[in-house]
Amino acid sequence: MIRISLLALGICHFLAPDSFGYGASGHEAIGRVAEFYLKGSRAETEVRALLKGNEDLARAATWADRVKIPDKYLANEMKEFVANNPLHHEFHYCDVPFQEKAYRDGLVGTNDHDLIHTMRACIKVLQSPDDAADNPLKISKRVAFMLLTHYIGDLHQPLHVGSSYVDENDKFVNPRTGAKGLPDAGGNFFRITAKSTLHAYWDTMTVKLARDKAGEKDFTAYLVENFPVKPEWNATGDINTWPEQWATGTLLLAPQCFEGLTLGKRFLVPKDEKHEEHYEWPATLAEGYKEKARDIVEQELAKSGYRLAALLKAIWPEK
Ligand SMILES: [Zn+2]
């Protein structure tokens, strides 16, 4: 597989390995919603055969983040995945300018191992008659399933698909138009507080706010009941095109992450063990931003759980 240097393109979350998708709580919720929609299907049986005795979809949905800990703590299955895929931290996102209206291969912020390409690779492994066929990630069907269960959640976090680029006047620009802008690394370079970033806000704070809104009610039941399936949640055509179709849907939400966001004066952050030298910006959120973000994310959690089930049912249709 050809690896394009993200550093050369200047668009790199891999400098910011602190992007963890929806956090364990969000990914687990997506797994549970998918379990709800899988009930009684052939796909449910096939999934059960891939899981170990003590695992469920909620557990499966965090596998791709759990492999990020130091190698010495990993089980052999995870060690092998990491050894074969040293860039696996980059599989969780793409950085398409939020002004774009659709994901497509070759756009600024995409590459051959971004979230969409990696999901396609996982789908192919699950569709193929054996593990060896067309398998650049060198993964088993079980690992392909674990990854897909996680990545579908990332695909529904707007800052895992859309990104901003900031010019010298601290204004958002689209580099595809020729304007020069520095990457925000999916919001990782925007500081909401000294310790928290815009990316982390969308990963975890929004999920916490949604859980608080659900109150005492079981969160899966809350999501399923309050967000019934909409016709537009269903993708069309070959399932290998579904990740791209869904990325486009998420990209259309991404502008809302940047509306109501005010950037302060940039400051230079020196190179450390995680990041190359780069600029960051203090960022403040307008009144009402919190509720807007929460309401987007709770729908995204419900939608991605439904879509995970739909994808698995398409891979293993009823006989
Ligand atoms: Zn992730």
Side-chain angles (χ1 to χ4, degrees):
M1 181 188 284
I2 298 164
R3 300 276 186 206
I4 298 167
S5 165
L6 285 185
L7 196 56
L9 295 172
I11 42 171
C12 20
H13 276 263
F14 78 96
L15 298 177
D18 43 350
S19 57
F20 274 82
Y22 273 127
S25 171
H27 284 287
E28 286 164 3
I30 291 163
R32 292 198 183 98
V33 170
E35 253 166 10
F36 171 85
Y37 286 113
L38 282 173
K39 273 202 185 82
S41 65
R42 176 190 164 212
E44 182 188 36
T45 310
E46 298 287 345
V47 162
R48 192 65 260 162
L50 291 175
L51 292 170
K52 292 176 182 162
N54 58 350
E55 290 174 333
D56 57 11
L57 256 82
R59 181 72 176 155
T62 59
W63 193 95
D65 273 345
R66 287 185 281 116
V67 298
K68 291 175 176 174
I69 61 172
D71 204 55
K72 62 181 174 181
Y73 301 115
L74 297 177
N76 286 340
E77 177 185 61
M78 288 179 161
K79 260 189 193 146
E80 191 183 328
F81 169 71
V82 170
N84 284 330
N85 297 282
L87 295 178
H88 70 94
H89 285 266
E90 299 171 27
F91 294 174
H92 298 242
Y93 59 86
C94 56
D95 281 324
V96 176
F98 73 83
Q99 298 91 339
E100 293 292 335
K101 301 293 179 224
Y103 176 97
R104 56 186 168 73
D105 290 356
L107 264 181
V108 173
T110 68
N111 61 65
D112 69 350
H113 58 281
D114 68 16
L115 176 59
I116 286 75
H117 287 78
T118 309
M119 286 184 72
R120 283 187 203 138
C122 292
I123 291 169
K124 279 205 173 127
V125 170
L126 289 172
Q127 284 181 307
S128 69
D130 60 66
D131 290 346
D134 197 6
N135 188 352
L137 306 178
K138 299 191 178 72
I139 49 176
S140 64
K141 283 185 193 290
R142 173 179 147 81
V143 170
F145 163 73
M146 301 302 245
L147 294 174
L148 207 50
T149 303
H150 175 88
Y151 294 147
I152 195 135
D154 289 342
L155 190 67
H156 290 81
Q157 204 278 46
L159 291 178
H160 273 250
V161 176
S163 206
S164 82
Y165 295 81
V166 186
D167 74 4
E168 57 189 13
N169 299 314
D170 296 329
K171 299 285 178 231
F172 297 128
V173 292
N174 183 349
R176 193 164 68 85
T177 65
K180 288 216 172 356
L182 294 170
D184 76 359
N188 273 303
F189 293 164
F190 294 158
R191 295 255 148 218
I192 304 296
T193 65
K195 290 203 167 156
S196 187
T197 67
L198 184 70
H199 188 95
Y201 186 90
W202 280 83
D203 267 357
T204 52
M205 178 55 81
T206 51
V207 177
K208 183 186 176 305
L209 291 168
R211 281 188 171 275
D212 289 348
K213 189 174 160 192
E216 295 297 307
K217 193 170 173 67
D218 174 75
F219 195 46
T220 308
Y222 169 83
L223 291 172
V224 168
E225 286 169 22
N226 285 281
F227 302 96
V229 179
K230 295 179 180 173
E232 62 265 29
W233 288 8
N234 293 306
T236 54
D238 184 335
I239 64 169
N240 284 287
T241 69
W242 291 10
E244 185 174 336
Q245 292 177 42
W246 293 339
T248 289
T250 306
L251 186 60
L252 295 175
L253 293 174
Q256 298 194 56
C257 300
F258 303 98
E259 282 166 17
L261 184 81
T262 307
L263 298 183
K265 197 170 160 37
R266 68 179 66 189
F267 55 96
L268 196 61
V269 178
K271 177 181 165 67
D272 61 19
E273 70 278 4
K274 268 192 190 170
H275 301 169
E276 294 293 336
E277 182 181 82
H278 64 279
Y279 281 107
E280 294 192 2
W281 292 259
T284 49
L285 308 179
E287 204 180 319
Y289 188 99
K290 185 167 100 170
E291 290 77 14
K292 172 185 76 174
R294 176 198 65 197
D295 292 352
I296 289 172
V297 164
E298 60 185 3
Q299 173 147 229
E300 290 302 286
L301 295 177
K303 192 197 291 177
S304 58
Y306 170 76
R307 285 177 166 173
L308 173 57
L311 190 55
L312 296 171
K313 285 178 182 176
I315 290 168
W316 294 294
E318 300 302 320
K319 282 178 177 162

